[in-house]
Amino acid sequence: MKQLLLILLSILFIQEIKAKSYEGYKVYKLKPENINHDKIIEYLQEDSIFYFLDEGQIESGKPIDVMIEQQYQNYFENMLEKNKFKFDVLVDNVEKVLEQERLDQRLTRTSGLGQVTFNSYMYYSEQMAYLHRLGRDYPEIVAILKLGESYEGRDITALRLSSGPSTDPSKTKPVIFIDAGIHCREWIAPAVALYIIQQLVENPQNALFYQNVDWDIVPNLNPDGYEYTQREDRLWRKTRRPNPNQPNYCMGTDLNRNFDHYWMYAGASSNPCSEIYAGPEAFSESESRAIRDYFLANGETIKLYLSFHSYVSMVLYPWGYASTLPEDHEELQRLGELAADAIHRSTTINSRYTVNTSTLALGPGAGGSDDWVKGVANVSLAYCFELPHGDSPFPFLFPARQLFAAVRETFEAIKVYHQYIENKFWNNNNQ
Ligand SMILES: [Zn+2]
């Protein structure tokens, strides 16, 4: 046993040495105040040495976070000062924050295979082992579905939870579809999806949640990227499919720009090195195709779509391609506010959500999954749910010690969504 422990520790140590170092990298919060500042950001965004962390676009008055390695910092700060461009240094040395996270991970990693934990972030293989264990232990309500495969051949797995087909021949049960981890560095998102799964399947008090409503939950939609963030580069966002004739750091596609609804219309890039690279064509990625194919086969029954991201504490809904409002925006806004209110009432980590369309909140980002689900798969209630960042100095690194509080409060929003879907599509369904 001791020997096994030593081997495991040495593997961890080797992995740490191999991992990309962010030594000396700083994170700046830029505060654009005029069009000149906006133009500067636009110009910087074209260059991959400036690593923009926000999902959204530039807008005067809206701060934006950017990470820069040491050798460009002087040039950058001088340029800002020359242009009277205000900024704060948010993180002085990114690697220090990453080190702390790795340490926390190692100290709190307690789950055995087939178990789930919310004290630390699980590996993809551990997440899958948990789902399969639930499939074995609860065969009467749980089915494990393979929706597709990632580029590197990992399963895109959904857990389907159902008490069985509708016994009323005049009604079909509505389905709530949840995915997480499209952006693989947003580790809190798969953890939230796993907590929803655990609460629904393993907490008998919640059995009512799947009497009249079925659930499809994909806790990790970008497993290649997730593994890569666990072992190599903590801040990777895209898929891991190489782009022809491009260096390693220009690999991958932003899955949340890859869906075929106004693809590449705005807020997406055709540059493979960009963090918001939309891919060579819509649905170029097997991970987004897995979602597409599942919705095209089951779309009629799915009544709510939730896609979990982090880190800006926002309940967002379409459209993400432009500032146009969907016809049913009032309903989307109202339901989003009910969900946000439920979190506000229960939060112990001071989470404060706002509710809006993606474009109005963050600027356009065409090709998002929620836009496609609503616009093409005709699921009218579709949300991009941006989880909070807790008190981490680096927004993507939601601290493991606050994870349980975050997943628990988010489940309060899930209860609200469930009640709404059950009322609208089951209790009041007179089809
Ligand atoms: Zn995201």
Side-chain angles (χ1 to χ4, degrees):
M1 189 63 197
K2 209 171 180 182
Q3 229 169 1
L4 183 68
L5 195 68
L6 278 174
I7 292 167
L8 284 174
L9 279 175
S10 63
I11 289 170
L12 278 172
F13 187 61
I14 290 162
Q15 278 168 355
E16 238 175 68
I17 288 174
K18 261 175 62 190
K20 178 179 165 104
S21 169
Y22 286 89
E23 184 62 39
Y25 281 60
K26 276 185 185 172
V27 178
Y28 298 84
K29 186 172 274 302
L30 306 183
K31 299 168 177 175
E33 287 173 329
N34 54 50
I35 292 176
N36 179 36
H37 294 163
D38 292 355
K39 287 224 163 78
I40 291 173
I41 295 179
E42 225 168 285
Y43 173 74
L44 297 174
Q45 276 183 325
E46 286 303 304
D47 196 327
S48 54
I49 65 170
F50 303 104
Y51 192 107
F52 283 86
L53 304 179
D54 297 66
E55 308 232 327
Q57 297 298 294
I58 359 145
E59 198 185 311
S60 293
K62 192 171 86 73
I64 187 162
D65 300 341
V66 60
M67 179 174 72
I68 300 169
E69 63 183 289
Q70 207 158 19
Q71 57 173 315
Y72 304 115
Q73 288 165 6
N74 273 345
Y75 157 78
F76 180 69
E77 288 180 19
N78 285 340
M79 186 275 294
L80 291 179
E81 270 151 24
K82 231 166 69 191
N83 286 283
K84 300 193 165 50
F85 198 151
K86 289 187 189 144
F87 66 94
D88 290 329
V89 174
L90 213 59
V91 183
D92 202 45
N93 182 1
V94 171
E95 188 61 23
K96 280 263 163 335
V97 189
L98 294 177
E99 250 166 44
Q100 186 57 48
E101 187 189 59
R102 284 195 292 265
L103 191 67
D104 290 349
Q105 274 289 89
R106 225 174 301 154
L107 293 177
T108 53
R109 187 171 281 281
T110 52
S111 74
L113 212 58
Q115 303 303 311
V116 69
T117 178
F118 303 101
N119 295 320
S120 65
Y121 294 100
M122 296 164 74
Y123 286 119
Y124 165 76
S125 54
E126 296 172 319
Q127 296 170 346
M128 293 304 110
Y130 176 59
L131 297 195
H132 287 286
R133 204 265 294 165
L134 294 181
R136 286 193 302 277
D137 286 0
Y138 301 90
E140 63 290 348
I141 51 168
V142 168
I144 304 299
L145 313 176
K146 178 175 169 175
L147 305 195
E149 268 183 21
S150 68
Y151 170 74
E152 291 173 356
R154 295 183 177 87
D155 287 354
I156 310 286
T157 306
L159 180 140
R160 165 158 268 258
L161 174 64
S162 172
S163 63
S166 164
T167 48
D168 179 344
S170 69
K171 296 202 268 195
T172 39
K173 290 184 180 179
V175 178
I176 294 177
F177 188 102
I178 294 173
D179 67 39
I182 281 191
H183 292 140
C184 48
R185 65 190 174 193
E186 300 164 7
W187 285 2
I188 184 179
V192 161
L194 288 168
Y195 185 75
I196 296 167
I197 288 172
Q198 187 217 28
Q199 282 302 303
L200 294 177
V201 177
E202 298 204 278
N203 184 348
Q205 284 182 343
N206 293 328
L208 277 175
F209 288 109
Y210 56 86
Q211 290 316 299
N212 306 319
V213 173
D214 292 343
W215 301 74
D216 290 329
I217 304 177
V218 180
N220 197 330
L221 187 51
N222 183 3
D224 298 350
Y226 187 77
E227 282 296 280
Y228 192 70
T229 59
Q230 288 261 3
R231 299 173 195 279
E232 309 260 348
D233 181 352
R234 175 67 184 88
L235 301 178
W236 193 258
R237 162 183 166 101
K238 300 189 282 181
T239 60
R240 291 296 300 160
R241 194 172 62 78
N243 293 309
N245 309 318
Q246 296 290 335
N248 261 355
Y249 64 87
C250 297
M251 268 174 114
T253 291
D254 181 352
L255 278 179
N256 212 35
R257 299 290 185 279
N258 193 236
F259 284 73
D260 195 8
H261 184 257
Y262 288 87
W263 181 76
M264 278 295 292
Y265 183 81
S269 175
S270 57
N271 173 5
C273 302
S274 164
E275 289 287 70
I276 51 170
Y277 176 50
E281 61 199 8
F283 290 122
S284 58
E285 307 305 295
S286 59
E287 296 86 353
S288 51
R289 289 198 301 272
I291 296 293
R292 175 195 67 185
D293 295 347
Y294 192 72
F295 271 82
L296 293 181
N298 301 281
E300 297 249 305
T301 56
I302 300 171
K303 299 301 179 194
L304 172 70
Y305 173 68
L306 300 176
S307 187
F308 281 105
H309 289 250
S310 68
Y311 59 92
V312 288
S313 306
M314 288 180 181
V315 181
L316 302 173
Y317 56 88
W319 302 113
Y321 74 93
S323 55
T324 330
L325 293 174
E327 259 175 42
D328 54 353
H329 67 95
E330 283 177 11
E331 182 184 11
L332 282 157
Q333 176 74 24
R334 202 171 54 241
L335 177 56
E337 284 171 4
L338 289 174
D341 287 348
I343 294 178
H344 293 168
R345 278 195 300 273
S346 63
T347 187
T348 55
I349 51 172
N350 203 25
S351 296
R352 298 239 86 57
Y353 278 79
T354 54
V355 185
N356 210 336
T357 79
S358 300
T359 303
L360 293 181
L362 300 172
S369 65
D370 54 334
D371 268 23
W372 182 85
V373 163
K374 182 171 177 60
V376 182
N378 293 320
V379 178
S380 60
L381 300 172
Y383 291 87
C384 169
F385 205 105
E386 285 272 350
L387 296 157
H389 58 67
D391 65 11
S392 166
F394 193 94
F396 288 117
L397 312 185
F398 189 93
R401 80 192 129 72
Q402 292 185 310
L403 185 57
F404 187 64
V407 297
R408 203 175 39 187
E409 72 181 27
T410 311
F411 193 67
E412 296 303 310
I414 295 300
K415 291 180 186 169
V416 167
Y417 279 122
H418 164 266
Q419 190 180 30
Y420 190 86
I421 295 301
E422 186 173 64
N423 273 339
K424 180 167 177 175
F425 297 100
W426 182 260
N427 297 339
N428 299 323
N429 184 355
N430 303 311
Q431 53 180 285

